[in-house]
Amino acid sequence: MPLIMMTGFPSSGKSTRAAELKQLFEERLLQPENQHRKHTVHIISDTTLGVPHSAYAHASEEKNARSALLSAVERLVTREHIVIADTPNYIKGLRYQLYCTAREEGTTHCVVYCALPVDAA
């Protein structure tokens, strides 16, 4: 599954789940029956892109953060890379753009929604 989009409220566990997924994929790729696969696993997050949390407080800065995410995904999405987009991804239009990127590359995608009660987030 080359593109995995994490979404959910802040502090809902997106980064934790993304790290767990990365570890799971890496462990499975090391198994003997998967040794022939040349996949690598990447997490694209605000941290890896150098985007501070304060970027989401202003529309213009948030637009730049979304552009950085989209560019990073476009560079990495191929059949050989498993890309986990670990950013808020709460804007439906952005998720659609990411879907189109995966479709153009002929790869699969999914959305993982990390649910948590609002009062617990």
Side-chain angles (χ1 to χ4, degrees):
M1 200 171 297
L3 178 59
I4 302 168
M5 295 175 268
M6 307 298 290
T7 189
F9 288 117
S11 301
S12 62
K14 293 182 300 294
S15 295
T16 301
R17 290 288 174 242
E20 291 171 350
L21 283 171
K22 181 178 187 208
Q23 181 179 359
L24 175 73
F25 284 124
E26 289 175 338
E27 287 172 1
R28 292 223 174 151
L29 288 170
L30 292 175
Q31 293 177 351
E33 63 270 15
N34 294 320
Q35 292 282 324
H36 66 283
R37 298 179 188 247
K38 304 271 191 250
H39 288 78
T40 54
V41 184
H42 304 274
I43 293 180
I44 299 174
S45 66
D46 289 339
T47 304
T48 62
L49 296 173
V51 175
H53 291 293
S54 61
Y56 295 97
H58 305 286
S60 61
E61 290 180 38
E62 183 176 355
K63 184 177 179 182
N64 293 336
R66 289 193 316 262
S67 295
L69 168 68
L70 187 57
S71 294
V73 169
E74 287 174 346
R75 283 191 301 273
L76 286 174
V77 168
T78 65
R79 292 178 188 233
E80 291 78 33
H81 296 279
I82 299 171
V83 179
I84 303 170
D86 176 28
T87 60
N89 295 322
Y90 57 86
I91 297 174
K92 185 178 178 182
L94 174 62
R95 289 194 308 270
Y96 181 72
Q97 285 180 298
L98 293 170
Y99 155 77
C100 289
T101 299
R103 189 179 66 190
E104 285 175 18
E105 289 296 324
T107 64
T108 57
H109 75 285
C110 74
V111 176
V112 175
Y113 186 78
C114 295
L116 186 70
V118 176
D119 58 337

